[in-house]
Amino acid sequence: MTDAAVAGVPQAGAPQASDQYVQSLARGLSVIRAFDAANPVMTLSEVAARTNLTRATARRFLHTLVELGYVRTDGKTFALTAMVLQLGYSYLSALSLPQLAQPHLEELSLKLGESTSAAVLDGADIFYVARVTTRRIMTVGISVGTRFPAYATSMGRVLLAGLPQQKLDEYLSSVEFKALTPRTITSREELVAELDRVRRQDWCVLDQELELGLMSVAAPVRNAAGKVVAAVNVSLQAQNVAAQPDPRAYIESIREEIVHTAGLISADIAARH
């Protein structure tokens, strides 16, 4: 393919460039995108080949990027610098927590085949801010905006465990416990002991305390300062867990996945600041 074709001649099946299209900007971005995990360092010829630009054109863009600080060179090869991360940070900084969490939850849900959610603490309740549903496994439908009592949910316990002691004491002194199922914790002493365990292990598994037949595994999402600002979870059917060859090992595999996802969302949040 010729440089002219890439620069301005429409290709078959390609979208038509509008009169607002800036070819030089598109070319410069194509040079940045040419670098990836498999090609972190390239010569001028390699960059030209991967971008379908002539050597002369590729050289001009590379040296412009060098002067701007986005690319470094030893005279023979070129590589991106950490400055290119600022391009992504600008995007991340404009996103809200639900927007940051949603793609990670979708990826996790697709991988596990289970529903995933994110929630924040709002008073005595958790408030759902993101949700990916594979099937309905509760008698009450869950969607963005749904509320549940924090003490009886996996995400609620993760969020409560992350509170400063004064805030937690205020919550414990005002919460009204209700036995939502025969398994629900309904005393301050039991809840405090459970929160201590959640705080130590940094995750929570809930076994049919919100609704019979429903289990969930949650992990905390933190900001750049390490403060717990949200929680994410995976919802599971208790009978499906029990049917696993090794239910304990299965829960452990779910724990690893949700903790990893929480870490990815936390990293995105930290990158905004």
Side-chain angles (χ1 to χ4, degrees):
M1 184 181 297
T2 66
D3 186 32
V6 174
V9 180
Q11 303 171 47
Q16 297 295 311
S18 72
D19 58 0
Q20 302 298 312
Y21 187 81
V22 181
Q23 294 177 357
S24 59
L25 176 59
R27 288 175 170 180
L29 291 175
S30 73
V31 170
I32 292 176
R33 291 197 303 269
F35 295 90
D36 56 24
N39 300 275
V41 179
M42 290 187 287
T43 64
L44 170 60
S45 297
E46 289 170 334
V47 172
R50 284 180 59 81
T51 56
N52 290 315
L53 297 173
T54 64
R55 283 173 52 88
T57 300
R59 180 184 294 107
R60 288 198 300 272
F61 283 112
L62 282 168
H63 283 287
T64 298
L65 291 168
V66 168
E67 291 189 28
L68 291 173
Y70 293 107
V71 170
R72 58 181 171 79
T73 181
D74 60 7
K76 294 182 178 180
T77 60
F78 299 84
L80 297 180
T81 71
M83 191 171 174
V84 297
L85 295 175
Q86 293 181 1
L87 301 175
Y89 290 164
S90 298
Y91 170 71
L92 289 174
S93 65
L95 297 181
S96 64
L97 171 62
Q99 290 172 313
L100 288 173
Q102 192 70 28
H104 294 295
L105 295 179
E106 290 174 356
E107 183 175 351
L108 180 62
S109 179
L110 182 63
K111 182 176 184 178
L112 299 180
E114 303 288 356
S115 299
T116 59
S117 308
V120 296
L121 193 62
D122 186 22
D125 299 331
I126 62 167
F127 181 86
Y128 281 73
V129 296
R131 173 81 170 162
V132 179
T133 304
T134 56
R135 57 186 178 276
R136 183 166 171 172
I137 61 176
M138 286 192 68
T139 56
V140 178
I142 302 175
S143 60
V144 172
T146 296
R147 291 175 175 271
F148 287 122
Y151 70 88
T153 62
S154 61
M155 289 191 289
R157 290 181 184 172
V158 164
L159 291 164
L160 291 173
L163 287 176
Q165 190 59 50
Q166 181 179 348
K167 292 292 186 181
L168 179 57
D169 289 340
E170 292 174 0
Y171 170 84
L172 293 171
S173 64
S174 62
V175 64
E176 295 183 9
F177 293 100
K178 293 182 180 179
L180 303 178
T181 79
R183 294 172 175 261
T184 309
I185 286 178
T186 56
S187 75
R188 174 172 177 152
E189 292 73 21
E190 288 179 295
L191 181 59
V192 167
E194 178 63 17
L195 293 180
D196 286 342
R197 183 170 70 169
V198 170
R199 193 177 298 110
R200 288 194 304 270
Q201 64 188 22
D202 211 31
W203 64 286
C204 176
V205 59
L206 195 84
D207 187 2
Q208 305 181 75
E209 294 190 48
L210 180 64
E211 181 173 303
L212 289 176
L214 176 68
M215 297 180 68
S216 60
V217 183
V221 172
R222 292 181 166 86
N223 63 15
K227 178 183 178 182
V228 176
V229 294
V232 290
N233 84 343
V234 176
S235 300
L236 304 167
Q237 290 182 305
Q239 62 181 13
N240 289 347
V241 174
Q244 298 295 320
D246 188 342
R248 190 183 298 271
Y250 178 69
I251 289 294
E252 173 61 18
S253 68
I254 298 296
R255 180 200 70 79
E256 291 177 354
E257 294 293 345
I258 194 63
V259 167
H260 177 66
T261 295
L264 294 176
I265 298 171
S266 297
D268 282 352
I269 291 174
R272 298 189 305 173
H273 303 286

